[in-house]
Amino acid sequence: MKFDTPATTNPIDRLKVIGQPTDRIEGPLKTCGQAPYAYEQHEAAQHQAYGFMVGSAIAKGRITRMDLDQARAAPGVLAIVTAANAGKLGKGKYNAAHLLAGPEVQHYHQAVALVVAETFEQARAAAQLVHVEYSVDKGRFDLAAVRDQGVEPKDELPDVRHGDFDTAFAAAAVQFDQTYSTPDQSHAMMEPHATLAAWQGDHLTLWTSNQMIAWSVGDIAATLGLPKDKVRLISPYIGGGFGGKLFIRADAILAALGARLASRPVKVALARPQMANNTTHRPATLQRIRLGATTDGKLTAIAHEGWSGNLAEGKVELAAQPSQLLYAGENRLVSMRLAPLDLPEGNAMRAPGEAPGLMVLEIAMDEMAEKLKLDPIQFRILNDTQVDPVKTERPFSRRRLIECLQTGAEHFGWDKRNATPGTRREGRWLIGMGVAAAIRNNLLVKSGAKVRLERDGKITVETDMTDIGTGSYTIIAQTAAEMMGVELADVTVHLGDSNFPVSSGSGGQFGANCSTAGVYAACMKLREAVTKKLGMTEGEAVFAEGHVQLGSRQVPLRNAAQNGAIEAEDSIEFADLAKQYQQSTFGAHFVEVAVDAFTGEVRVRRMLAVCSAGRILNPKTARSQVIGAMTMGVGAALMEELAVDKRLGFFVNHDLAGYEVPVHADIPHQEVIFLDETDPISSPMKAKGVGELGICGVSAAVANAIYNATGARVREYPITLDKILDSLPPMI
Amino acid sequence: MRAFNYSRADSPAAAAQAALAQGTRFIAGGTNLLDLMKLGIETPQQLIDINHLGLDQTEATPEGGLRIGALVRNTDLAADPRVRKDYALLSRALLAGASGQLRNMATTAGNLLQRTRCPYFYDTNQACNKRTPGSGCAAMGGVTRQLGIIGVSDACIATHPSDMAIALRALDAQIETLNPDGNTRRIAMADFHSLPGSTPHIETALTPGELITGVTLPAPIGGTHIYHKVRDRSSYAFALVSVGLILQKDGSGRVAVGGIAPKPWRVEAAETLLPQGAKAVSARLLDGATPTPDNRFKVTLVERTLASVLAQARDEA
């Protein structure tokens, strides 16, 4: 189905099932341990052996010698994979570094070997007996030191120069110029990267944990030199991804190689301390913001310039991107520079670009508002735009940022905020409020599904869409139930198998809207097949309550399948509505913090997000996405940082004791308000995404609240107490 | 984790004797040792399980104090009414440590013997004089925000991570041990943990095979007990700085500090300055500190946290 004109009234609009706060349909399986994750596919293959990865001890250089004798002789060892016996390996389209090093080493903890043994403990013990000697090359590990070597990422974000920034900035009555930094961050998802691999002849099956099935089939085929049709990926349950599982990683390739060498199915999970350096992370950025405005607060000049680093073939972090669209202003410069670094590969993490970009831009807006003596909400409202500020002929499909800000202000009690920092105190605590705007673009990706009316009248959906903890199973079942007029319990959903039609997958907050739109398309086709079978082709039949009705004639749906199941497959394909309209989601985040006046410890006391994101397909799962993202935003604001050893070139705090993410005690009551709306430009579902919108701007709202509480304006994330101490009141 | 032998000791004496053999470790809660074994940092050939030795009781001493068995779990110790009433600092410090699950397993003796959380110690690719004597210290000049500012040496700047130990130091606890030769002794908390000097792998005064059987607290000294642990998140994190304070009505008191040194940091001479306030105490306490650029803030933080607990103690008194 081609989606090329805005949606009109369709069966989804009935909202009998869609739009309801339904519990997760796979929830009981997960809470009862009946949902097998990749490492728990005990029944999938017989005689599974265990692989344990050995990671490089250096960041850059060459392996000069490997001594495997001791490891080979260790109890239970079946095989040891290294570059020497892996055969020729290609590289996936979505990988910057090779997934198995040798002889060249590209980053710390890059895999150098996989030890396969009868038990996990044997494999791990033997892995510690693999002796590797290296010659070390000098590497580049400090973004600030290489920033001037950055080049324009022409394929990803060529410089945006609109109007004449330099002249307008120079002429602006009020000017603002500051530079900020955001650190490397780790996805730190609960389930580590894990894969079980089994060969049947030259056919490879991988049970893995992966967000993007079709991409990954292609990359496994490319890496192992196999035709795509010899590779099957199965990934029904995923314990969190956040972008860290968009791509195949070492676990998948090493499991496949280990299984081939050992002639046994082999499973591999990365150990937690290996994840930060072996896999991808959100890269650190440096960002400079310059704003020029009239004395009454109209922005006339906006420059957002950023720098990030990566390995050769790695991508830039598009941190400056949100400054293209968020605020009005006739003169604009938006640019990123990509500098060479020899740290592990930087790549997508929840709201890539927008998350670190808004961490910075939305502090700058707070600083500029203060300079203009304007309320920060009023300042943002003054600079709202209903059209793409660079291509002014393109309107936003829906943009209700102002309503988000105003609704939030009223609900949160913004009028109680004292604009003078450090003026509200409760005992030992300094209290402050902060706000930030959020924008995250609505990406549209082709998505397919197969739906089947079974002989008993029930519906089965199959698509390679993934559920990374987001609720895909549930909203897909809701969509099919709505479309076919059956109960939610009458729909069975199968996901995450490369034998199923290719979907959007889970990423960029496009999964919910696109994958359900794909199911919508397949259901429209199935409805056609059903009405044809029932001889109801004149006019538009209504599918409701297990029946199909046309005029006065009403037939049970299952009658159509009495002689055999009926199947339909289709995809949603998005035409050029995204060119005609700028499609984005918007939000406003409100945060109240308390800061210990003695020690600088920060406690977030209240949080509110107001989201404008099209139709909310399931308010319960959507709310879970937003509060999870808000939590991640608190982590980014206050504690998350992969600490770089700039001499040795690795992330030092590479476990969950060292890389701190918020605990329950850090997260207060969180409120989420979804503005009631639809966006018919987006898809037949009239939905967009919220999973990434929820993190956008949160950290800046925390930072702004800390400023309001203490007067400490911290421009280097995370805002740990050592950066606040000197701004605190003198001790009693 | 390398293959190892496992045996259960049936008496403290037998445990101590068995532990004389090289490559032997006692195991109680295992909350730290097992992690270190998985990472290949500890590679014992023999584990002696001491969980069944009956060292899990807390009892009154004739001197009016408490004797805490080596195997009393952190959860039980923190909840003991006698501890909560007379040694609140200990209860508060325990509850500031780890998580509920870990405290359920972790024992009194094991808590004292836990190893540093220096990230370079935890990464076997990196040089570490504590892990491999003489190999060097990768932490120095690296990421040192969490590491020590005083009592450290050119060989090691790691800290001791225990919260419980801070309280025990302030309370003048004594460690009771049993040697393989059958002799017992008491070691003052002040002398129990060693400073690294040139031998950072030697972390305590214990001799080979010596088994901790209990910890003795002297009779209660009263006062207001406060433990403030400052960290990057609200719970389940090691201290950047922690301050244990016992303040008497006359303004005298005791202070022990965690998160800054290889052992609980207490300087009795600094305590005499308590009437002069946090600045004076802190200056004396940290006299000779050698912070790195990354952890210089701890000097200020000790002072401010001490000011905070002093204010709190005065409020509570």
Side-chain angles (χ1 to χ4, degrees), chain A residues 320-635:
Chain A
Q321 190 168 255
S323 287
Q324 244 179 292
L325 292 166
L326 190 49
Y327 297 112
E330 281 162 21
N331 304 285
R332 192 173 305 247
L333 167 63
V334 175
S335 83
M336 285 303 303
R337 291 292 178 266
L338 176 60
L341 279 182
D342 297 299
L343 289 170
E345 180 186 347
N347 210 316
M349 180 168 142
R350 202 171 201 169
E354 274 97 339
L358 291 170
M359 283 169 82
V360 164
L361 176 64
E362 287 299 286
I363 295 183
M365 288 296 285
D366 202 65
E367 296 198 65
M368 186 63 164
E370 189 181 36
K371 218 168 174 178
L372 289 160
K373 300 189 173 56
L374 281 173
D375 178 87
I377 292 177
Q378 191 53 32
F379 178 46
R380 287 174 173 91
I381 289 173
L382 263 175
N383 290 288
D384 188 52
T385 173
Q386 291 296 313
V387 297
D388 177 342
V390 174
K391 295 175 186 151
T392 52
E393 68 283 7
R394 290 174 78 225
F396 283 95
S397 59
R398 282 282 183 282
R399 174 173 165 130
R400 296 171 68 196
L401 177 58
I402 292 178
E403 287 100 313
C404 289
L405 289 162
Q406 288 174 334
T407 305
E410 189 176 332
H411 201 83
F412 202 67
W414 183 255
D415 57 349
K416 293 185 186 68
R417 171 182 176 268
N418 187 332
T420 309
T423 47
R424 191 173 150 206
R425 188 158 177 163
E426 294 176 11
R428 64 192 295 117
W429 298 101
L430 298 163
I431 314 296
M433 282 192 221
V435 67
I439 179 172
R440 173 65 174 144
N441 286 339
N442 183 44
L443 306 176
L444 298 168
V445 182
K446 181 180 172 183
S447 193
K450 192 186 280 181
V451 285
R452 198 160 52 239
L453 174 64
E454 308 288 359
R455 294 183 70 155
D456 58 4
K458 299 195 170 169
I459 302 293
T460 305
V461 185
E462 293 173 345
T463 162
D464 84 355
M465 178 60 187
T466 48
D467 188 325
I468 59 175
T470 39
S472 308
Y473 277 105
T474 309
I475 55 172
I476 283 173
Q478 286 176 278
T479 303
E482 193 79 79
M483 291 299 292
M484 301 312 297
V486 301
E487 297 286 323
L488 188 65
D490 291 332
V491 180
T492 304
V493 180
H494 297 294
L495 299 181
D497 187 329
S498 60
N499 281 354
F500 299 152
V502 174
S503 73
S504 61
S506 298
Q509 82 170 12
F510 52 65
N513 178 43
C514 298
S515 72
T516 54
V519 173
Y520 171 94
C523 286
M524 286 305 271
K525 216 171 205 178
L526 182 59
R527 286 163 62 110
E528 252 179 65
V530 167
T531 48
K532 196 170 159 197
K533 194 86 177 176
L534 297 175
M536 294 175 155
T537 48
E538 306 293 315
E540 199 165 322
V542 174
F543 287 65
E545 287 163 25
H547 288 73
V548 188
Q549 188 171 2
L550 185 65
S552 57
R553 189 174 161 222
Q554 198 189 43
V555 185
L557 176 64
R558 66 170 178 276
N559 286 11
Q562 61 193 2
N563 298 323
I566 308 177
E567 193 168 88
E569 182 178 338
D570 202 358
S571 293
I572 190 86
E573 285 183 71
F574 297 93
D576 64 352
L577 284 174
K579 285 201 184 107
Q580 295 170 42
Y581 297 89
Q582 175 56 41
Q583 299 187 29
S584 306
T585 59
F586 294 90
H589 287 284
F590 292 80
V591 171
E592 182 176 284
V593 300
V595 181
D596 187 310
F598 287 94
T599 61
E601 291 161 278
V602 177
R603 300 286 179 262
V604 177
R605 300 216 305 189
R606 294 192 292 138
M607 301 182 79
L608 166 68
V610 185
C611 302
S612 156
R615 172 174 282 151
I616 298 304
L617 300 174
N618 179 329
K620 195 168 198 171
T621 54
R623 179 178 181 277
S624 289
Q625 281 300 294
V626 176
I627 63 173
M630 290 158 77
T631 302
M632 220 164 180
V634 171

Side-chain angles (χ1 to χ4, degrees), chain A residues 57 108 124-125 128 428 597-598 601 644-645 647-648 650 652 654 660-661 665-666 720-722 728-729 731, chain B residues 1-2 38-40 119-120 123 125-126 138 140-143 145 228 230 232-234 237 297 303-304 307-308:
Chain A
Y108 195 74
R124 183 174 58 190
Q128 290 170 4
R428 64 192 295 117
F598 287 94
E601 291 161 278
V644 181
D645 186 312
R647 310 156 306 160
L648 301 171
F650 73 109
V652 173
H654 52 60
E660 293 180 15
V661 298
D666 291 306
T720 45
L721 58 89
D722 44 307
L728 296 176
M731 294 182 302
Chain B
M1 189 182 286
R2 315 292 165 84
K38 290 173 188 174
L39 293 165
Y120 294 89
D123 188 333
N125 291 328
Q126 304 305 328
M140 287 183 201
V143 175
R145 184 169 175 271
H228 190 148
V230 181
D232 285 325
R233 61 181 172 192
S234 310
F297 74 94
E303 186 182 300
R304 296 193 70 104
S308 170

Side-chain angles (χ1 to χ4, degrees), chain A residues 169-411:
Chain A
F169 183 69
V174 183
Q175 296 172 346
F176 173 82
D177 181 356
Q178 280 293 350
T179 299
Y180 304 77
S181 68
T182 65
D184 298 286
Q185 295 173 342
S186 186
H187 306 87
M189 71 294 269
M190 199 177 288
E191 182 202 23
H193 298 75
T195 301
L196 164 66
W199 293 85
Q200 298 89 27
D202 62 350
H203 193 281
L204 173 66
T205 305
L206 299 172
W207 291 264
T208 189
S209 183
N210 189 282
Q211 299 174 230
M212 301 294 290
I213 301 300
W215 289 6
S216 295
V217 165
D219 271 6
I220 285 160
T223 307
L224 296 175
L226 296 171
K228 274 202 226 180
D229 60 7
K230 301 284 189 194
V231 177
R232 184 170 174 205
L233 232 68
I234 301 174
S235 182
Y237 301 106
I238 297 156
F242 307 120
K245 294 174 180 166
L246 290 168
F247 324 107
I248 56 156
R249 296 301 313 170
D251 57 300
I253 294 303
L254 292 176
L257 293 170
R260 189 154 69 188
L261 199 61
S263 304
R264 293 260 296 266
V266 168
K267 65 176 176 180
V268 178
L270 297 186
R272 182 65 64 179
Q274 298 175 328
M275 290 171 65
N277 287 282
N278 177 264
T279 72
T280 60
H281 63 278
R282 189 201 298 282
T285 67
L286 297 168
Q287 300 179 53
R288 181 186 186 195
I289 306 272
R290 282 177 289 168
L291 301 172
T294 61
T295 48
D296 56 359
K298 279 274 185 195
L299 286 169
T300 53
I302 301 172
H304 192 158
E305 297 161 279
W307 294 261
S308 72
N310 218 330
L311 292 166
E313 297 182 52
K315 293 185 164 186
V316 73
E317 178 70 27
L318 297 171
Q321 190 168 255
S323 287
Q324 244 179 292
L325 292 166
L326 190 49
Y327 297 112
E330 281 162 21
N331 304 285
R332 192 173 305 247
L333 167 63
V334 175
S335 83
M336 285 303 303
R337 291 292 178 266
L338 176 60
L341 279 182
D342 297 299
L343 289 170
E345 180 186 347
N347 210 316
M349 180 168 142
R350 202 171 201 169
E354 274 97 339
L358 291 170
M359 283 169 82
V360 164
L361 176 64
E362 287 299 286
I363 295 183
M365 288 296 285
D366 202 65
E367 296 198 65
M368 186 63 164
E370 189 181 36
K371 218 168 174 178
L372 289 160
K373 300 189 173 56
L374 281 173
D375 178 87
I377 292 177
Q378 191 53 32
F379 178 46
R380 287 174 173 91
I381 289 173
L382 263 175
N383 290 288
D384 188 52
T385 173
Q386 291 296 313
V387 297
D388 177 342
V390 174
K391 295 175 186 151
T392 52
E393 68 283 7
R394 290 174 78 225
F396 283 95
S397 59
R398 282 282 183 282
R399 174 173 165 130
R400 296 171 68 196
L401 177 58
I402 292 178
E403 287 100 313
C404 289
L405 289 162
Q406 288 174 334
T407 305
E410 189 176 332
H411 201 83

